[in-house]
C-alpha cells in the first residue's frame, strides 16, 4: 500500500529467515561433488551438511539427486 507497509512486511519476513555463510571448505567440497548440479546448488548442499540441515524447500528437482537430504516443494 505504501513504502512503510512494504518495509514492515520485509522486516517480518527477514526476521524469520536464518542466513548461513559459506566457507572456503564448502566451496572446495562443492567443487569435488560429482553430482550433475550447478555449483551454487552444490554449495547449498555443503552448507546444509555442515549445519546438519536435512530439508530444503525448493522447486529445483536437481536436489533430488542428493540422497542425504529431503526436498520439499511448496
Amino acid at each position: 500500500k505504501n513504502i512503510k507497509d512494504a518495509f514492515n512486511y520485509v522486516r517480518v519476513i527477514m526476521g524469520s529467515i536464518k542466513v548461513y555463510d559459506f566457507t572456503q571448505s564448502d566451496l572446495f567440497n562443492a567443487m569435488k561433488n560429482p553430482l550433475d548440479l550447478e555449483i551454487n546448488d552444490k554449495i547449498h548442499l555443503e552448507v546444509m551438511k555442515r549445519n546438519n540441515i536435512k530439508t530444503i524447500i525448493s522447486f529445483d528437482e536437481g536436489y533430488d539427486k542428493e540422497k542425504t537430504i529431503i526436498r520439499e516443494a511448496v
Side-chain angles (χ1 to χ4, degrees):
K1 296 177 182 178
N2 62 45
I3 195 72
K4 187 174 181 178
D5 289 341
F7 178 76
N8 288 333
Y9 179 74
V10 170
R11 177 181 275 175
V12 169
I13 290 172
M14 294 305 292
S16 61
I17 295 173
K18 179 153 178 133
V19 177
Y20 293 90
D21 290 332
F22 73 96
T23 65
Q24 188 176 30
S25 293
D26 294 329
L27 177 60
F28 290 144
N29 289 334
M31 292 169 58
K32 293 188 291 185
N33 186 325
L35 293 176
D36 184 26
L37 296 172
E38 299 287 332
I39 189 65
N40 59 314
D41 293 340
K42 291 179 181 185
I43 292 170
H44 291 156
L45 290 173
E46 292 305 321
V47 172
M48 289 175 67
K49 289 175 187 177
R50 182 171 47 81
N51 289 285
N52 200 31
I53 298 169
K54 302 293 183 195
T55 304
I56 189 167
I57 299 172
S58 176
F59 287 112
D60 187 343
E61 294 177 358
Y63 287 112
D64 295 338
K65 297 174 185 177
E66 175 59 56
K67 300 306 179 192
T68 63
I69 67 162
I70 298 168
R71 179 184 65 89
E72 290 186 11
V74 180

